[in-house]
Every structure is written in C-alpha cells, then in structure tokens.
Amino acid sequence: MSDGTIDGPFGSDAVLAGEYVLHLLPPEARRAAEDRLAVDGAFRALVAQWSERFAQLADTVAPVDPPAGIRAALRQAVADARHNERRRRGSVLGRLFAGGLGGLLAAGAAVLFLTVALPRIEPPYSGPLYAAQLQGEDSDLVVQARFDPRDNAITVLRQAGGPAPGRVLELWLIAEGAEGPVSLGVLPEGREVEVDVPDDLAGAIPTGTLAISDEPPGGSPDAAPSGPILAVGAVEDA
Amino acid sequence: MATTTRDDIEAMIARTAQQDRDAFLALYDATSAKLFGVCLRVLDSRPDAEEVLQEVFVKVWRNAGRYSANGLSPMTWLITIARNTAIDRLRARKVVHEDADAVGGLEDKAPGPEAQAIAASQAREIARCLDELDDDRAAAVRGAYLDGQSYQDLSDRFAVPLNTMRTWLRRSLIKLRECLGG
C-alpha cells in the first residue's frame, strides 16, 4: 500500500486496484500500479473488474451534445492522417512490392508466422504489447519485433542472421488491407534496436504485417523495397 | 444510444482500428454525448471538457487496435479513456492554481432530472451495493469516480482527516467487493 500504514485487508490487491481505478493513488503509486499492470495478470483482472463495475455509475451521467466543431475538427484530423499515409505508401511501387510479397506468402508453409510466447500484457488502457516473429524462406534472418503502443516504439531483436556486408536492413509495415508497404526506417546497427513509429501509423501495427528487406546503405531509394524481402511476420497480441 | 448496441459499438471500434474514417465518425456520433457528459461532470467547465473530448477521440483513433485485447466492454473502455483524460486535466489544472472553489460543489454536481430518470431505469448492481454503505461513504466513492475527487478533495469536502478518508474509502471498497460478489 502506498503509505504503508495499513496492513491486512486494507493492503490487499483488490483494494489497491479499486483505488487505482478511482484515480485515488498519488502519482508515484499510480505509476507503480501501471508498471504492475504490465506484468501482473491477476492485478490486471482486478483492475478490469473494478473498471466494469464503476463504469456503471456513468449511467447516472446525462449525455450532453458536444458542439459540432469538435466533430468537424476530428473528421479533418483523421482525413489528414489517411492522406499522409497514402502519400507515403507510393501506389505503383507499392503494388510491385505487394506482388513480391504475395509470392513469398504463396510459398506457404515454409514461411512461418510465429507468435512469440510472451505473457499477455494488456492493462485496460496502458494497452497490450504486440509481437511478431519475422523469418523467411531463403534467408537465415530471424527477428523478433515487439511493439509497445504506450510509446509507439518497436523493439527489434535480431535472433539470427544479419545484413550482408555493405548492405542494410529496412523495416516495413504492411497495414491490413493496404496495397503496399510503408517504410518504418532502416534498422540501426546492433542486435537489439528500437524504431519509433509515426503516430499516424501506430494504429495499423496491431493488425499489420512486418517485413524486412535487404537494401543499399541509407535504405531503399524508392517508396517500396528495392531488394529482396528477407523476413516477414504478422503482428499478434503478445 | 438506445438503438446502438454493444455489438454495434464493438464493430465501430474494430473498423476504426482499420483506419475506417466513417466508422470512427459513427462511433463519435454514437458515444460522444455520453463521453462529453462524463468529461463535463469531472471538469465542470465546458471549454476544458471540449478540449478533453477531442483528445479522447484522438486517443480512440490511435488506440482502437488495442481494444479487442483488453477485455473491457466497449463503453467501459471509452468511459475509462474519457474519465482518465479528464482527471489528468483536472489534476493538472489544480497544480496551476490551487483553487478552493474547485473542491466540493456537491449540490451543483447533483444529477439533473434527466440523469435521475436514466439512473432509475438502469439501476445496476453497483448502485444497489453503494446503497448498502453509509450515505456519506457512498457519496465519497461517487465523488472519486464521477467527479474525479482526490483523497484531499474528499477529506476537505467531508471535513475528516486525510487518513480517515483513506480508511473510509478502503473499507468501502472491501464492502463493495463483498456485495458485488468479487
């Protein structure tokens, strides 16, 4: 318990979870609870239970129509997000890449889409983690990618293989239903590296597919991969 | 809202996760009045609540892909985002100007006739269990959830020492949990 003065039933996790949901914990204790949510499934379940129960109290809150300007501003904001994404994708090259990826996927069982067996990490609004295991048929590259939506960052861990001499690895996102890939950037050197995902792409990661291509230094000169796809894998709940 | 079911809202969230703009706006149309009500209740200020509501829906747009995994019902998920964003704003505001007037306000935050009618028609388990608590203890729990009041706010409002308020709340949580069968 945060103040350490009360033990017994007052110190129980159920009470702590209730205080967390009511937003009664001081900032440090609240952060500690959030850290715990990320790793402790039983505590997460308690928080979810209190969240459901207290949300019923919102029945007593009368709906109030917000001013129309808010809807208009949001409509504009999401339109801009989609426009930027489309521009980045590059339609012609995107389709070329989609063909290449299609071939790779058609290779079937040889291409493995493995979900990494990580503990489920899904605090009610700190969010789950997502993971993808990337590998390919003709390459020894094996990469584990983990996406944390709290800071929109992908941690990429190279488990086997690496870039060819004088070449680099570039990470791509294929959003669900998208025609082609969007570059998430050239992977920095190192076995474990972090890649920041732009805010407007982050929403597509959980249901997307990640791929890694072989590229010249500096990355693909095009909006789509210029070299072979070395590894690919679907993103799953971790 | 009456004609929008839980499944409808879940479907809208799922399509929002695919960057479906129309679904996102449909979700806004179905839920924004409720969430605006929640924000207004916490913040007691229209301009603040309007800013927070916009922030809430930006979060929904960005995080809709995380919804399916979190195990909450869709309205609980949305209300939790709205309430947390509003309380964060409330606490930030208090740091800027510690305003005695911001504390309390029991009367002017009482639900209006419309809200009371809704409450009566949707009397739920949590309300029944709160009724089993002493009146001021139930009011303290409601103040924390609905008005975002802190232990300090509540101790001022009920004129009891901070530690007494902590004990009230924690005992209330234990009783609620027993009553709710958790």
Side-chain angles (χ1 to χ4, degrees):
Chain A
M1 196 61 15
S2 55
D3 58 9
T5 56
I6 306 178
D7 292 325
F10 291 105
S12 79
D13 284 349
V15 172
L16 179 66
E19 288 183 290
Y20 171 77
V21 170
L22 289 176
H23 233 295
L24 286 170
L25 298 172
E28 325 79 68
R30 186 167 176 84
R31 273 191 295 276
E34 276 169 356
D35 288 345
R36 227 183 122 185
L37 278 173
V39 296
D40 184 342
F43 187 61
R44 238 172 9 243
L46 287 169
V47 166
Q49 195 178 37
W50 280 121
S51 298
E52 288 294 348
R53 286 164 167 179
F54 281 126
Q56 296 174 7
L57 287 176
D59 287 351
T60 63
V61 176
V64 180
D65 285 330
I70 295 180
R71 189 185 196 276
L74 286 166
R75 191 177 53 201
Q76 188 59 48
V78 298
D80 290 347
R82 280 160 53 105
H83 177 68
N84 290 341
E85 191 183 332
R86 210 174 294 125
R87 209 170 40 191
R88 187 171 313 155
R89 206 179 276 154
S91 59
V92 174
L93 290 163
R95 272 197 298 278
L96 284 176
F97 173 74
L101 181 69
L104 185 63
L105 294 181
V111 180
L112 301 175
F113 297 93
L114 294 181
T115 305
V116 184
L118 295 168
R120 287 182 72 77
I121 298 184
E122 47 189 30
Y125 45 86
S126 295
L129 289 185
Y130 299 93
Q133 185 84 7
L134 284 71
Q135 46 195 48
E137 206 175 1
D138 303 319
S139 141
D140 60 357
L141 184 66
V142 179
V143 165
Q144 179 194 308
R146 297 179 62 178
F147 175 64
D148 187 339
R150 285 170 296 190
D151 54 7
N152 285 351
I154 297 181
T155 304
V156 178
L157 174 65
R158 241 183 328 107
Q159 295 171 318
R167 303 286 289 179
V168 298
L169 301 176
E170 187 164 0
L171 183 65
W172 304 84
L173 165 68
I174 303 105
E176 195 179 37
E179 289 177 1
V182 185
S183 176
L184 295 174
V186 172
L187 293 180
E189 282 183 36
R191 199 169 154 269
E192 182 166 6
V193 296
E194 197 167 282
V195 177
D196 289 328
V197 180
D199 284 353
D200 56 339
L201 295 179
I205 299 269
T207 53
T209 297
L210 296 174
I212 291 177
S213 68
D214 167 69
E215 299 293 345
S220 171
D222 302 323
S226 67
I229 305 300
L230 301 177
V232 63
V235 179
E236 310 273 2
D237 293 349
Chain B
M1 281 297 296
T3 54
T4 309
T5 67
R6 172 188 170 134
D7 286 350
D8 293 337
I9 295 175
E10 277 192 333
M12 290 175 203
I13 293 173
R15 282 166 52 213
T16 297
Q18 317 297 326
Q19 314 271 292
D20 181 331
R21 202 177 128 192
D22 295 335
F24 174 67
L25 292 173
L27 181 66
Y28 179 88
D29 292 339
T31 62
S32 59
K34 185 71 185 179
L35 300 185
F36 191 49
V38 168
C39 294
L40 267 177
R41 175 75 187 251
V42 169
L43 289 163
D44 209 10
S45 147
R46 266 192 94 92
D48 280 3
E50 288 171 12
E51 272 181 42
V52 165
L53 184 70
Q54 199 161 329
E55 202 180 318
V56 165
F57 275 93
V58 169
K59 287 181 182 174
V60 168
W61 171 256
R62 286 187 185 158
N63 298 318
R66 287 150 54 182
Y67 165 69
S68 62
N70 67 23
L72 296 178
S73 72
M75 276 316 290
T76 298
W77 184 67
L78 294 168
I79 288 167
T80 300
I81 293 173
R83 187 177 159 271
N84 281 318
T85 309
I87 290 177
D88 285 345
R89 171 68 62 100
L90 179 72
R91 302 278 154 91
R93 196 168 74 184
K94 280 189 178 171
V95 170
V96 175
H97 48 96
E98 191 66 53
D99 182 359
D101 294 341
V103 177
L106 179 57
E107 284 73 24
D108 50 47
K109 291 204 170 181
E114 187 193 353
Q116 285 166 353
I118 293 168
S121 69
Q122 300 181 354
R124 300 238 237 165
E125 233 186 347
I126 186 82
R128 179 178 61 78
C129 290
L130 279 170
D131 285 347
E132 291 186 8
L133 300 177
D134 291 344
D135 286 352
D136 46 6
R137 299 190 185 203
V141 173
R142 287 196 166 92
Y145 189 80
L146 293 171
D147 302 319
Q149 292 187 315
S150 66
Y151 274 132
Q152 187 63 58
D153 297 335
L154 293 166
S155 115
D156 292 345
R157 173 176 155 190
F158 291 93
V160 299
L162 197 55
N163 278 329
T164 305
M165 182 48 71
R166 281 204 189 94
T167 305
W168 275 23
L169 247 305
R170 290 173 188 169
R171 279 192 203 283
S172 297
L173 286 169
I174 290 166
K175 285 189 179 164
L176 281 175
R177 193 166 156 76
E178 284 166 3
C179 173
L180 292 161

